Amino acid sequence: MESAPLPSAVLFCCTLNALRSPMAEGIMKRLHGTRLYVQSVGVRAGETDPLMVQVMDEIGIDLSRHCPRDFATLEDSSFDVVISLSPEAQHKAVDLTRANACEVEYWPTFDPSLIEASREVRLESYRAVRDELQRRILKRFPLPGLARE
C-alpha cells in the first residue's frame, strides 16, 4: 500500500509545552528532519521538564535548550496537521483551526509528571511516554521507503 505524502507542517500541542509536546517535536524532527516543518506549543508555556530532557538525551535528542511556547506565540497558524496530546490542548487546537483547512488529531497521552514515586519509577514512565510517542509518530508519518502496516 502506498503511504500518504508527508504534510508540510505539523504542530504538536499539549497543556504545557514542557514535556509531551516537545518530546513529539524532537522525535518528529529526528525522524523527518527538514522534510517538513514541526513545532510544539502548550495551552500555557510551562517550564522545561528536566526528566523529559534526560530521557530524550538517552535516545540522542538534545532538548536542553527547549524554550516552552504557548499558542499566543505561534508566528504561523497554517499547519497541515495539528496533533493534540491532552484534552485541554484538543479544545484549543479545534479553536485555532476553525477557519483553516487543517487536520486535527487527538492522541490522548499520559502525563508522566503526575507520577509520585522514586526517581527511577518516574523515569520509566517518561520513557514509556517517549517510546509510545515515537511508535505513534512512525505509524502516522512513516519514514520514506517504509510502507505503513
Side-chain angles (χ1 to χ4, degrees):
M1 178 174 138
E2 203 59 33
S3 67
L6 280 178
S8 59
V10 176
L11 177 68
F12 290 98
C13 56
C14 204
T15 306
L16 302 174
N17 185 224
L19 200 170
R20 294 168 285 181
S21 52
M23 275 184 174
E25 177 185 7
I27 292 166
M28 186 73 148
K29 283 180 175 175
R30 152 134 346 129
L31 294 172
H32 292 290
T34 56
R35 287 190 288 272
L36 55 98
Y37 176 75
V38 185
Q39 194 170 25
S40 67
V41 295
V43 174
R44 293 177 301 284
E47 291 185 27
T48 300
D49 187 306
L51 295 180
M52 177 275 294
V53 172
Q54 181 178 339
V55 300
M56 293 302 285
D57 190 56
E58 291 172 359
I59 62 167
I61 299 174
D62 180 9
L63 292 180
S64 62
R65 292 186 294 280
H66 172 71
C67 185
R69 297 175 293 266
D70 62 23
F71 278 92
T73 62
L74 272 179
E75 292 172 14
D76 187 355
S77 62
S78 57
F79 292 90
D80 302 309
V81 179
V82 177
I83 298 172
S84 58
L85 306 173
S86 72
E88 201 174 352
Q90 174 68 2
H91 294 297
K92 194 76 173 171
V94 168
D95 287 344
L96 173 78
T97 60
R98 236 179 258 291
N100 301 358
C102 168
E103 287 181 60
V104 177
E105 297 181 18
Y106 177 44
W107 295 2
T109 305
F110 177 71
D111 180 354
S113 70
L114 299 175
I115 297 224
E116 294 183 22
S118 70
R119 180 177 175 81
E120 197 47 48
V121 168
R122 293 179 67 215
L123 281 169
E124 283 303 316
S125 68
Y126 278 66
R127 289 178 187 118
V129 168
R130 174 199 66 200
D131 296 347
E132 178 60 23
L133 284 169
Q134 184 161 299
R135 272 191 296 281
R136 290 194 80 161
I137 289 167
L138 276 169
K139 184 174 183 184
R140 173 65 176 84
F141 307 103
L143 292 171
L146 295 181
R148 287 184 205 207
E149 292 180 21

